[in-house]
Amino acid sequence: MPLESENSVFVADEAAMVAFGRALAQFAEGGEVIFLNGDLGMGKTTLSRGVLRGFGHQGSVKSPTYTLVEPYELGDRTVFHFDLYRLGDPEELEYLGIRDYFTDDSICLIEWPERGEGVLPVADLLLNISVEQLGRRINWQPQTVKGRQLADKLKTD
């Protein structure tokens, strides 16, 4: 996967986005909280599909827009895929029992994290997806020690 800068990669198409997600899964050790930022249609769910494929999930992956969260039990890991696009108020997450999802064994992928501001924990890694030419640019910023470790591994992939 070609890297053009320290914390950035260009993905040309859907297959490359899935491949980046698989790489992210390869390096995740559990307990990671990853925020997926980007406008509608940027590939956040596609990237999530790649992470889930990296953990062995074979079924379909749809954005949990109406359910807010979709759990995936994958061996000794649970991946929680959140889509907060339709969240009316961050306090709704408290009724969902949001804190119970963030464990040492789980990986939480959160689309539209700004909708849960003030309730969500600090992200270990922020992924920002934007349009570049006919593909996408993924930039990442670590926010914690765990996020820095993950970012360092992504740089060497």
Side-chain angles (χ1 to χ4, degrees), residues 113-126:
E114 66 277 10
R115 308 270 171 120
E117 191 173 334
V119 176
L120 293 175
V122 172
D124 294 299
L125 195 64
L126 299 174

Side-chain angles (χ1 to χ4, degrees), residues 46-47 93 95 111:
T46 302
L47 191 151
L93 293 174
Y95 300 116
E111 297 184 33

